[in-house]
Amino acid sequence: MKTLLKSLKITLAFCVFFSVFYILILWIFAQVAGPNKGNAEVATLDGKVVGAANVGQMFTKDIYFWGRPSHAGDGYDAASSSGSNKGPTNEEYLSEVEARIDTFLVHHPYLQRKDVPAEMVTASASGLDPDITPASAYVQVKRVAQARGMDEAQVKTLVDNAVQKPLLGLFGTEKVNVLKLNIALEEANK
């Protein structure tokens, strides 16, 4: 009985420590060392908040760059973050991907089927990815430039400037934040 009581006290102590103090330590660390003091990075346009830069948003018009498809709720719903959980041999999944490829080619008639980036037709695991690869952004340059009546070189320069390099040149891959790129596009097209 003495051992049981001691075990319960230790369990209670660890529960309090890990549920309160550990979280407090992480919060303090985020305030000191985290980007934006541990808060979401908000993106603004004309002084108005238009979204969180670390959560993807749905862009479907030709005048905008598009992000990866999302299976989270009705699309990019952080409360329903998840993938489709369908494997690469699932018939329903394959038909969804084929439909996305067909739609992508309708909006990008200058591409061939083999040139469609896989990430533009497959949803991510979280369904909230805010970033795409530079290659996926570059294949959209012609469409966006034509839809906005802009010079392709100008739009390509915006993509070049939006490419984020890996952390310390080592960790991660090059990426383009779709929301930030679309904000830069709106500002350049005023």
Side-chain angles (χ1 to χ4, degrees):
M1 187 66 167
K2 189 175 183 179
T3 307
L4 178 64
L5 189 57
K6 190 174 187 178
S7 297
L8 288 173
K9 287 180 183 178
I10 290 172
T11 302
L12 183 62
F14 276 119
C15 285
V16 170
F17 175 76
F18 285 115
S19 64
V20 176
F21 293 111
Y22 180 72
I23 293 171
L24 183 64
I25 289 168
L26 288 178
W27 181 79
I28 291 170
F29 179 78
Q31 295 298 307
V32 174
N36 204 25
K37 293 190 175 192
N39 297 316
E41 179 186 353
V42 294
T44 59
L45 178 64
D46 297 328
K48 296 178 183 173
V49 174
V50 292
N54 58 347
V55 176
Q57 294 186 17
M58 178 113 23
F59 292 99
T60 56
K61 294 182 180 177
D62 284 343
I63 60 172
Y64 295 114
F65 284 89
W66 302 344
R68 289 189 74 176
S70 174
H71 272 287
D74 291 329
Y76 301 103
D77 179 5
S80 300
S81 174
S82 68
S84 69
N85 292 331
K86 295 175 186 166
T89 59
N90 181 294
E91 291 297 324
E92 185 180 337
Y93 172 75
L94 291 174
S95 66
E96 286 176 16
V97 171
E98 286 297 320
R100 289 182 188 141
I101 291 171
D102 293 340
T103 301
F104 198 82
L105 288 172
V106 165
H107 292 272
H108 302 85
Y110 50 89
L111 292 177
Q112 293 181 348
R113 195 169 200 77
K114 65 181 176 61
D115 298 326
V116 176
E119 73 177 321
M120 297 306 297
V121 294
T122 56
S124 68
S126 71
L128 302 175
D129 285 352
D131 305 314
I132 57 175
T133 61
S136 291
Y138 288 125
V139 299
Q140 298 181 64
V141 165
K142 186 172 184 173
R143 170 186 51 85
V144 172
Q146 287 175 348
R148 287 188 174 258
M150 294 174 70
D151 182 48
E152 276 185 53
Q154 183 184 10
V155 176
K156 184 183 178 299
T157 300
L158 290 172
V159 174
D160 292 339
N161 294 337
V163 174
Q164 300 170 6
K165 303 291 183 188
L167 180 65
L168 302 175
L170 300 170
F171 303 106
T173 59
E174 288 186 336
K175 60 187 177 183
V176 175
N177 184 288
V178 178
L179 177 60
K180 289 179 181 179
L181 176 57
N182 284 331
I183 289 172
L185 189 63
E186 285 290 323
E187 290 172 344
N189 202 20
K190 286 183 180 177

